[in-house]
Amino acid sequence: MWAKVIFKDRIEPDRTEWFVKGTEMDSSIVVEDFSEKPRIVYPVDGAVIAIDPDIPEDNQIVTFQFKPKSNKYERVLNDEKTGIKNSFFLWKPEKGVHKIAIINSENTIVDSVEFVVK
């Protein structure tokens, strides 16, 4: 797990380190676990994406971005599984309101955003 290490009495500067769970340093420090939960980086919730009339339709692409880089989660676009598990994928924009989501192996949504293409 990634954790922020904060030394009591500031004997050393704060830093981020990686630990195998259960092997964190002794009680002379405070460890704050901030392991990344799966999330959608782009688009943000409520984003408005405009189709550019000066760019040929076949060249218009939206790049969906996800963190962390993990293939444990699938991407769902407009309630349809995409089969994509990468940290990003390319999509040809279509006008309307859309929803992108991340689901786990139990098909539970762990993050989702709605966006509009105009």
Side-chain angles (χ1 to χ4, degrees):
M1 81 178 167
W2 283 103
K4 184 173 184 180
V5 179
I6 303 169
F7 288 85
K8 293 180 181 176
D9 301 326
R10 301 291 180 197
I11 58 174
E12 288 189 38
D14 298 348
R15 64 178 179 255
T16 302
E17 291 192 10
W18 190 88
F19 298 95
V20 173
K21 207 168 197 101
T23 65
E24 300 88 354
M25 294 182 197
D26 65 26
S27 61
S28 65
I29 62 160
V30 177
V31 177
E32 296 177 16
D33 181 5
F34 62 92
S35 299
E36 278 192 273
K37 294 182 180 174
R39 63 188 172 89
I40 299 165
V41 177
Y42 184 83
V44 296
D45 196 40
V48 177
I49 299 170
I51 294 176
D52 189 331
D54 295 331
I55 298 175
E57 189 175 316
D58 289 341
N59 294 343
Q60 304 229 15
I61 297 292
V62 173
T63 303
F64 296 120
Q65 298 174 355
F66 310 91
K67 289 218 174 184
K69 292 181 180 179
S70 170
N71 62 3
K72 294 185 342 183
Y73 302 94
E74 187 173 351
R75 315 323 175 188
V76 176
L77 180 61
N78 299 325
D79 297 323
E80 292 185 29
K81 290 184 177 184
T82 64
I84 295 172
K85 295 184 176 186
N86 298 330
S87 61
F88 73 94
F89 80 88
L90 305 176
W91 175 69
K92 183 178 166 111
E94 301 171 5
K95 290 184 179 182
V97 178
H98 303 280
K99 179 180 178 181
I100 184 79
I102 300 172
I103 60 170
N104 61 19
S105 59
E106 290 83 34
N107 291 321
T108 302
I109 294 174
V110 293
D111 193 21
S112 68
V113 299
E114 288 192 6
F115 62 97
V116 176
V117 177
K118 291 186 174 193

mmCIF file of all heavy atoms in Angstrom, residues 6 29 35 42 48 51 60 62 66 69 74 80:
data_model
loop_
_atom_site.group_PDB
_atom_site.id
_atom_site.type_symbol
_atom_site.label_atom_id
_atom_site.label_comp_id
_atom_site.label_asym_id
_atom_site.label_seq_id
_atom_site.Cartn_x
_atom_site.Cartn_y
_atom_site.Cartn_z
ATOM 1 N N ILE A 6 4.294 10.288 8.467
ATOM 2 C CA ILE A 6 4.452 11.549 9.197
ATOM 3 C C ILE A 6 5.170 11.230 10.503
ATOM 4 O O ILE A 6 4.638 10.541 11.365
ATOM 5 C CB ILE A 6 3.083 12.197 9.490
ATOM 6 C CG1 ILE A 6 2.318 12.407 8.172
ATOM 7 C CG2 ILE A 6 3.252 13.499 10.252
ATOM 8 C CD1 ILE A 6 0.875 12.796 8.357
ATOM 9 N N ILE A 29 5.773 6.760 14.293
ATOM 10 C CA ILE A 29 5.223 7.519 13.172
ATOM 11 C C ILE A 29 3.721 7.324 13.081
ATOM 12 O O ILE A 29 3.159 6.426 13.705
ATOM 13 C CB ILE A 29 5.853 7.085 11.829
ATOM 14 C CG1 ILE A 29 5.537 5.619 11.562
ATOM 15 C CG2 ILE A 29 7.326 7.350 11.773
ATOM 16 C CD1 ILE A 29 5.669 5.221 10.121
ATOM 17 N N SER A 35 -4.229 4.599 -0.389
ATOM 18 C CA SER A 35 -4.258 3.763 -1.580
ATOM 19 C C SER A 35 -5.355 4.276 -2.506
ATOM 20 O O SER A 35 -6.448 4.583 -2.053
ATOM 21 C CB SER A 35 -4.541 2.313 -1.214
ATOM 22 O OG SER A 35 -3.532 1.819 -0.378
ATOM 23 N N TYR A 42 -11.025 11.608 -16.278
ATOM 24 C CA TYR A 42 -11.640 12.430 -17.317
ATOM 25 C C TYR A 42 -12.624 11.590 -18.090
ATOM 26 O O TYR A 42 -12.313 10.462 -18.454
ATOM 27 C CB TYR A 42 -10.586 12.993 -18.285
ATOM 28 C CG TYR A 42 -11.223 13.920 -19.302
ATOM 29 C CD1 TYR A 42 -11.471 15.249 -18.975
ATOM 30 C CD2 TYR A 42 -11.624 13.456 -20.538
ATOM 31 C CE1 TYR A 42 -12.103 16.085 -19.878
ATOM 32 C CE2 TYR A 42 -12.257 14.288 -21.442
ATOM 33 C CZ TYR A 42 -12.488 15.600 -21.101
ATOM 34 O OH TYR A 42 -13.126 16.432 -21.986
ATOM 35 N N VAL A 48 -19.045 19.255 -20.093
ATOM 36 C CA VAL A 48 -19.688 19.498 -21.380
ATOM 37 C C VAL A 48 -18.590 19.415 -22.427
ATOM 38 O O VAL A 48 -17.617 20.167 -22.380
ATOM 39 C CB VAL A 48 -20.383 20.871 -21.427
ATOM 40 C CG1 VAL A 48 -20.971 21.125 -22.801
ATOM 41 C CG2 VAL A 48 -21.460 20.971 -20.345
ATOM 42 N N ILE A 51 -18.440 19.107 -29.772
ATOM 43 C CA ILE A 51 -17.939 18.599 -31.044
ATOM 44 C C ILE A 51 -17.516 19.810 -31.853
ATOM 45 O O ILE A 51 -18.274 20.767 -32.011
ATOM 46 C CB ILE A 51 -19.017 17.769 -31.770
ATOM 47 C CG1 ILE A 51 -19.321 16.505 -30.962
ATOM 48 C CG2 ILE A 51 -18.577 17.440 -33.190
ATOM 49 C CD1 ILE A 51 -20.430 15.649 -31.521
ATOM 50 N N GLN A 60 -12.722 13.144 -34.611
ATOM 51 C CA GLN A 60 -13.089 13.605 -33.269
ATOM 52 C C GLN A 60 -13.052 12.415 -32.318
ATOM 53 O O GLN A 60 -13.680 11.392 -32.556
ATOM 54 C CB GLN A 60 -14.480 14.244 -33.303
ATOM 55 C CG GLN A 60 -14.538 15.352 -34.314
ATOM 56 C CD GLN A 60 -15.128 16.620 -33.793
ATOM 57 O OE1 GLN A 60 -15.274 16.828 -32.594
ATOM 58 N NE2 GLN A 60 -15.463 17.504 -34.707
ATOM 59 N N VAL A 62 -12.757 11.352 -27.926
ATOM 60 C CA VAL A 62 -12.697 11.667 -26.501
ATOM 61 C C VAL A 62 -11.864 10.579 -25.848
ATOM 62 O O VAL A 62 -12.059 9.391 -26.121
ATOM 63 C CB VAL A 62 -14.098 11.720 -25.865
ATOM 64 C CG1 VAL A 62 -14.018 11.882 -24.360
ATOM 65 C CG2 VAL A 62 -14.930 12.840 -26.485
ATOM 66 N N PHE A 66 -8.667 6.851 -16.492
ATOM 67 C CA PHE A 66 -9.001 6.228 -15.214
ATOM 68 C C PHE A 66 -7.745 6.039 -14.378
ATOM 69 O O PHE A 66 -6.656 5.894 -14.895
ATOM 70 C CB PHE A 66 -9.641 4.856 -15.450
ATOM 71 C CG PHE A 66 -10.759 4.882 -16.449
ATOM 72 C CD1 PHE A 66 -10.512 4.661 -17.794
ATOM 73 C CD2 PHE A 66 -12.041 5.152 -16.039
ATOM 74 C CE1 PHE A 66 -11.535 4.690 -18.727
ATOM 75 C CE2 PHE A 66 -13.083 5.193 -16.970
ATOM 76 C CZ PHE A 66 -12.826 4.962 -18.310
ATOM 77 N N LYS A 69 -3.841 2.646 -12.622
ATOM 78 C CA LYS A 69 -3.673 1.761 -13.770
ATOM 79 C C LYS A 69 -3.856 0.336 -13.264
ATOM 80 O O LYS A 69 -3.011 -0.192 -12.569
ATOM 81 C CB LYS A 69 -2.291 1.942 -14.386
ATOM 82 C CG LYS A 69 -2.121 3.276 -15.045
ATOM 83 C CD LYS A 69 -0.757 3.415 -15.659
ATOM 84 C CE LYS A 69 -0.635 4.771 -16.321
ATOM 85 N NZ LYS A 69 0.673 4.973 -16.924
ATOM 86 N N GLU A 74 -13.720 -3.003 -14.998
ATOM 87 C CA GLU A 74 -14.190 -2.809 -16.370
ATOM 88 C C GLU A 74 -14.891 -1.463 -16.491
ATOM 89 O O GLU A 74 -15.432 -0.936 -15.533
ATOM 90 C CB GLU A 74 -15.155 -3.933 -16.761
ATOM 91 C CG GLU A 74 -15.547 -3.879 -18.221
ATOM 92 C CD GLU A 74 -16.370 -5.076 -18.672
ATOM 93 O OE1 GLU A 74 -16.496 -6.047 -17.900
ATOM 94 O OE2 GLU A 74 -16.889 -5.029 -19.793
ATOM 95 N N GLU A 80 -23.660 -0.049 -20.925
ATOM 96 C CA GLU A 80 -23.192 -1.178 -21.725
ATOM 97 C C GLU A 80 -21.729 -1.446 -21.407
ATOM 98 O O GLU A 80 -20.901 -0.536 -21.459
ATOM 99 C CB GLU A 80 -23.351 -0.888 -23.219
ATOM 100 C CG GLU A 80 -24.797 -0.827 -23.656
ATOM 101 C CD GLU A 80 -24.934 -0.656 -25.158
ATOM 102 O OE1 GLU A 80 -24.035 -1.108 -25.897
ATOM 103 O OE2 GLU A 80 -25.935 -0.078 -25.574
#
